[in-house]
Amino acid sequence: MTDKPKQTSPSRRQFLTGAAAVGAGAVTGRSAKAATPDPLITEVQDWASGLGDGVDATPYGLPIEYEADVVRRNVEWLTADTISSINFTPIHALDGTITPQGCAFERHHSGAIELRKEGYRLMINGLVDTPLVFTYADLERFPRENRVYFCECAANSGMEWAGAQLNGAQFTHGMIHNMEYSGVSLRTLLEEAGVNPAGKWVYVEGADASSNGRSIPLEKAMDDVLVAFKANGEALRKEHGYPVRLVVPGWEGNMWIKWLRRIEVTEGPIESREETSKYTDTLADGTSRKWTWEMDAKSVVTSPSPQSPIKHGVGPLVISGLAWSGRGAITGVDVSVDGGKSWTEARLAAPGTDKALTRFYLDINWDGSEMLLQSRARDASGYVQPTKAQLREVRGLNSIYHNNAIQTWWVKTDGEAENVEVS
Amino acid sequence: MTDKPKQTSPSRRQFLTGAAAVGAGAVTGRSAKAATPDPLITEVQDWASGLGDGVDATPYGLPIEYEADVVRRNVEWLTADTISSINFTPIHALDGTITPQGCAFERHHSGAIELRKEGYRLMINGLVDTPLVFTYADLERFPRENRVYFCECAANSGMEWAGAQLNGAQFTHGMIHNMEYSGVSLRTLLEEAGVNPAGKWVYVEGADASSNGRSIPLEKAMDDVLVAFKANGEALRKEHGYPVRLVVPGWEGNMWIKWLRRIEVTEGPIESREETSKYTDTLADGTSRKWTWEMDAKSVVTSPSPQSPIKHGVGPLVISGLAWSGRGAITGVDVSVDGGKSWTEARLAAPGTDKALTRFYLDINWDGSEMLLQSRARDASGYVQPTKAQLREVRGLNSIYHNNAIQTWWVKTDGEAENVEVS
């Protein structure tokens, strides 16, 4: 943290040359300060040449047409079919921490199904005093909570186990989103049914054809899990589990059951297909890590990155990215421009909060030379994000899930960036 | 705060009768606990009968069709034309604190105009060392901040000065939204240009035909004002000022200039049309309050409310609403069910933050009798939201703007609610 970065911090003078002094001619971003400011204002944004749209034009607004590139994207060759597949949040183009629902990644096992609130039922059964069925209206009568949490697919960055492949933060790290959820604590509903002393786990399943059933230890189920019906203030989108999904803070996304149908209190784990054939991590010796629920601390530079190159040449540059941890709040992020030889502490846009995305910034003065750009997250448990080499040493190369290694972007002299590995 | 509410807090037993015990027959929300739980699961949410949509179905997702009512609405008779008009956030149907851009209220003076990032220019001129023009790319090179702030139109609840009129929280209090903004501190840009000692104000204007020019004291401009380009992580929507708007935390929404075009440092205020003929408050004696920028502490119960009636009959009821203050964080909210005779402290979903919406809840056991439902906000400055009578005593009845009085919903025995006044 005390190492000096290769790139220096920008001074006020350097910023000044980044904008055009009035009267200095074309705004190129490179023009020098005018010796005598010209009082003629010629470069200011034009006035509108007419009236705009009225307030009845868009009852529900959409992004402007010029932002049509900022969308979820899937990778055709990654899966056999789009029904059981993934797409990626355009994190390279976003800022802040909240992910709008419309561009928050999707992962379906049998496609996004369409339910109605009217017919919706949630059952709690198994080892309980009183098995219960809730309507949507029933759920709205229990005390509610609001919390911002990240949701990350266990397979996020999974392609990176085999080396740098997909060229863009959207594809390497875009199976993540961060929303403000409103709903009822699962604990409240379980207490309503009355959990028997023999009940030690819950088995949760969705109403989609895959069911995507997963086992969760009772301790977690009684801790911070939410039965959520709203995200970022409004109803869950169809693809995010309308009308009700499970929110399992800090744990892998596949446990955040969408179109939530049933919660069974059980003595032990069910060991369903989704937690045996999938979502275990094969180690070098062929054995598997199991119950790898918690998402380890992780971070990525979202800009500059392959889909968000530097277009403005040398001088002041905002390096920005996201950090998160399933074990608590992010306490710090370090950034390296030399492939991990030296590190500088980044500025967190706000203090880290529990199991939610944190935005970080590092303002440098880019001298135009190549950079091997990395970020390294630290969390409240004291954990530090590992390098790829460190992670592979422990986990081998057979894993698909839980790759939280440090990512490297090779930023070239022309500002273009590429996904690379550093030894 | 120590008064006992008329309605009691719900006990566990009362919740239990809110959900159907399995085997108890139809889920009516009123069925009693089954004496012997039936092991046959008949009421659980049906499985999907087929596959759902693939991940390529919606690159940018929209609300599900069943939520088509949760949209911005304008009131036709309120203004002569929709070009210079307002619409309202559907706050009666939202939860949490974040407002999605798509349903965040609009107020235009000459319609929502369409700009491109490529041609965008922002000028800083007037009493500065070096007048500057920034491109959009220039702005992206300055150190960035992220903050969540509410934006409220000064005319929000304006119709209430004359008594209870529009029947719904969306219409009485819906000229408010709350988003996470990313942008550059205005202070940073002003320091870049260098403010002369004679400069005491800034005049800010948009590129729309109205320009909507407003004067802001330099002290505020150098404090927490942002030149923002993103809201809730993504680009500003066209109707919210794409590509750049001003964010003036805690101050009336008309100063949050959209399609920001120019910032002129001046010796005194400009006293433009928008701050003389509009946005002053006419008092009982015909004189006007001027420079009433700060939004006073305010709150409203969003549910139950006229557009969000109680449909489930007696028993557990979640009373929920929003509170905010332009003077800092909300420190507490009290709720009354008897028109202000007695008050109970509501639960804040999260500690209040500076100049942002706070969600509050009060869980009661509704006995089915009429309620005169009110909420009362308190902020970090010690200010307590006034009654309509208290506010009218000071301001008279001629005002349009800055009505932050306590709102009353008359909830009837059938659960329907109506906008009323209490003496």
Side-chain angles (χ1 to χ4, degrees), chain A residues 12 15-16 18-22 27 29-30 33 37 41 43-48 51-56 58-67 70-72 74 82-83 85-87 93-98 100 102 106 108 110-117 119-121 123 125 129-135 138 140-144 146-147 180 182 191-192 194 205-209 211 230 232-235 237-239 242 261 312 314-316 318 347 349 359 361 363, chain B residues 12 15-16 18-22 27 29-30 33 37 41 43-48 51-56 58-67 70-72 74 82-83 85-87 93-98 100 102 106 108 110-117 119-121 123 125 130-135 138 140-144 146-147 180 182 191-192 194 205-209 211 230 232-235 237-239 242 261 312 314-316 318 347 349 359 361 363:
Chain A
R12 178 165 175 272
F15 273 121
L16 193 58
V22 171
V27 176
R30 300 269 61 77
K33 181 183 169 182
I41 296 168
E43 298 283 358
V44 67
Q45 171 70 47
D46 285 340
W47 297 111
L51 298 169
D53 294 342
V55 296
D56 53 347
T58 48
Y60 198 96
L62 276 174
I64 197 166
E65 60 199 298
Y66 310 129
E67 298 290 316
V70 184
V71 290
R72 297 186 282 230
N74 61 310
T82 60
I83 297 294
S85 189
I86 50 179
N87 62 21
L94 303 181
D95 207 326
T97 63
I98 291 291
E106 301 168 74
H108 308 310
S110 51
I113 62 167
E114 189 159 303
L115 301 183
R116 288 169 185 267
K117 278 182 184 170
Y120 177 78
R121 297 291 183 274
M123 170 173 280
N125 67 344
D129 296 342
T130 312
L132 294 172
V133 174
F134 301 98
T135 64
D138 289 338
E140 287 189 307
R141 302 180 69 178
F142 288 91
R144 259 173 250 170
N146 293 305
R147 294 283 182 278
E180 183 196 43
S182 304
E191 286 178 346
E192 190 68 15
E205 68 184 14
D208 56 324
S211 101
K230 304 233 166 155
N232 296 342
E234 64 185 346
R237 299 277 161 93
K238 170 183 170 180
E239 63 268 31
Y242 182 91
R261 174 185 189 264
H312 53 61
V314 300
V318 175
R347 173 172 58 89
R359 171 65 59 180
Y361 295 113
D363 304 299
Chain B
R12 178 164 177 272
F15 273 121
L16 193 58
V22 171
V27 175
R30 300 269 59 77
K33 180 184 171 184
I41 297 169
E43 298 283 357
V44 67
Q45 171 69 49
D46 285 342
W47 297 111
L51 298 169
D53 294 342
V55 295
D56 54 346
T58 47
Y60 199 96
L62 277 174
I64 198 166
E65 59 198 300
Y66 311 128
E67 298 290 316
V70 184
V71 290
R72 298 186 282 231
N74 61 311
T82 60
I83 296 293
S85 189
I86 50 179
N87 60 22
L94 303 180
D95 207 327
T97 63
I98 292 290
E106 301 167 75
H108 308 309
S110 52
I113 62 167
E114 190 160 302
L115 301 183
R116 288 169 184 265
K117 278 182 184 171
Y120 177 78
R121 297 290 183 274
M123 171 173 281
N125 68 343
T130 312
L132 294 171
V133 174
F134 301 98
T135 64
D138 289 338
E140 288 188 307
R141 301 179 70 177
F142 288 91
R144 259 172 250 170
N146 292 305
R147 293 284 183 277
E180 183 194 43
S182 304
E191 286 178 346
E192 189 68 14
E205 66 184 16
D208 56 324
S211 101
K230 305 233 165 156
N232 296 341
E234 63 185 346
R237 299 278 161 92
K238 170 183 170 180
E239 64 267 32
Y242 183 92
R261 173 185 191 265
H312 53 60
V314 300
V318 175
R347 173 172 58 88
R359 170 65 58 180
Y361 295 113
D363 304 298

Side-chain angles (χ1 to χ4, degrees), chain A residues 98 349, chain B residues 97-99 104-105 145-152 176-185 220 223-228 230-232 245-251 256 323-329 353-358:
Chain A
I98 291 291
Chain B
T97 63
I98 292 290
T99 315
F105 88 96
E145 296 189 6
N146 292 305
R147 293 284 183 277
V148 176
Y149 291 122
F150 78 81
C151 173
E152 183 183 16
I176 192 158
H177 56 61
N178 193 63
M179 305 204 247
E180 183 194 43
Y181 294 95
S182 304
V184 177
S185 165
K220 176 71 173 176
D223 181 15
D224 55 4
V225 176
L226 294 178
V227 173
K230 305 233 165 156
N232 296 341
R245 88 172 298 169
L246 208 62
V247 168
V248 190
W251 287 24
W256 294 46
W324 61 95
S325 169
R327 291 199 181 82
T353 62
D354 194 39
K355 300 161 193 168
L357 288 192
T358 294

Side-chain angles (χ1 to χ4, degrees), chain A residues 359-408:
Chain A
R359 171 65 59 180
F360 66 86
Y361 295 113
L362 184 66
D363 304 299
I364 71 162
N365 187 39
W366 186 45
D367 63 9
S369 62
E370 288 187 345
M371 294 187 281
L372 288 170
L373 202 50
Q374 301 183 332
S375 63
R376 182 176 71 183
R378 292 174 272 127
D379 73 17
S381 75
Y383 180 95
V384 179
Q385 185 181 0
T387 63
K388 280 189 177 176
Q390 287 170 330
L391 197 65
R392 285 173 178 152
E393 201 174 333
V394 178
R395 303 259 189 89
L397 285 167
N398 297 328
S399 288
I400 297 171
Y401 309 110
H402 295 281
N403 184 342
N404 71 316
I406 289 170
Q407 179 69 31
T408 311

Side-chain angles (χ1 to χ4, degrees), chain A residues 195-238:
Chain A
V195 175
N196 294 354
K200 299 299 179 199
W201 291 68
V202 295
Y203 182 70
V204 289
E205 68 184 14
D208 56 324
S210 82
S211 101
N212 192 31
R214 291 299 307 259
S215 306
I216 300 175
L218 190 65
E219 192 182 356
K220 177 70 174 177
M222 299 293 271
D223 181 13
D224 55 3
V225 177
L226 293 179
V227 173
F229 28 86
K230 304 233 166 155
N232 296 342
E234 64 185 346
L236 291 161
R237 299 277 161 93
K238 170 183 170 180

